[in-house]
């Protein structure tokens, strides 16, 4: 998630980012996160929600809301799989409660990103 947020923030500052399909990246992730139980899933839900709220124009959020909800639903499903039946409701309240508490701070960081408007024209 951090690479997406960084890319969006750099674009907002006027930097150009490129998609190069031939590029190869080696990711050694998951080595320690699989030992953290549900923390990885909780952080994924929180980080993606913050990225969307902070960086995406409302027009894009509403236009792609079904796709966004489906993709973030995968994170919630993964959290459900990693937690116990009794833990899951508490984890959901914790994750989404943190977002609500931090929402004013995240909204203050919102800036329009012209690159996202270009995606809609495609």
């Amino acid at each position: 998630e951090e690479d997406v947020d960084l890319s969006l923030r750099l674009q907002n500052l006027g930097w150009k980012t490129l998609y190069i399909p031939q590029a190869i990246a080696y990711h050694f992730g998951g080595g320690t996160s699989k030992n953290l139980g549900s923390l990885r899933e909780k952080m994924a839900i929180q980080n993606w929600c913050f990225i969307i709220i902070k960086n995406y124009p409302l027009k894009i959020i509403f236009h792609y809301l079904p796709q966004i909800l489906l993709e973030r639903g995968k994170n919630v499903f993964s959290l459900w799989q990693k937690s116990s039946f009794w833990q899951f409701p508490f984890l959901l309240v914790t994750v989404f409660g943190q977002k609500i508490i931090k929402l004013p701070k995240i909204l203050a960081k919102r800036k329009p990103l012209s690159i996202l408007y270009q995606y809609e024209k495609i």
Side-chain angles (χ1 to χ4, degrees):
E1 298 91 19
E2 295 85 1
D3 55 340
V4 174
D5 190 44
L6 177 62
S7 173
L8 292 171
R9 288 187 293 136
L10 287 172
Q11 290 176 47
N12 195 32
L13 293 171
W15 288 64
K16 299 229 184 275
T17 57
L18 301 172
Y19 168 69
I20 303 173
Q22 298 84 5
I24 297 173
Y26 296 97
H27 187 260
F28 296 106
T32 57
S33 63
K34 58 186 163 192
N35 300 327
L36 300 176
S38 61
L39 180 63
R40 182 173 190 257
E41 285 73 22
K42 286 172 33 180
M43 295 306 296
I45 294 168
Q46 181 174 322
N47 290 344
W48 273 109
C49 288
F50 285 158
I51 287 170
I52 292 166
I53 292 168
K54 183 171 71 172
N55 296 309
Y56 285 37
L58 290 177
K59 186 176 181 180
I60 298 296
I61 291 173
F62 288 124
H63 183 75
Y64 292 103
L65 190 60
Q67 293 94 326
I68 291 169
L69 292 175
L70 178 64
E71 194 60 33
R72 301 299 47 97
K74 291 177 184 177
N75 295 123
V76 173
F77 181 71
S78 183
L79 178 64
W80 175 70
Q81 288 181 312
K82 295 272 181 156
S83 60
S84 71
F85 177 78
W86 303 107
Q87 243 183 343
F88 181 67
F90 174 75
L91 292 173
L92 277 183
V93 169
T94 303
V95 168
F96 288 104
Q98 289 174 352
K99 274 187 248 358
I100 292 168
I101 291 168
K102 294 178 181 178
L103 190 59
K105 185 177 180 180
I106 296 302
L107 289 173
K109 294 182 178 184
R110 282 185 58 85
K111 292 184 180 171
L113 295 174
S114 60
I115 190 69
L116 291 175
Y117 289 108
Q118 293 175 7
Y119 289 139
E120 188 173 326
K121 296 176 186 175
I122 296 176

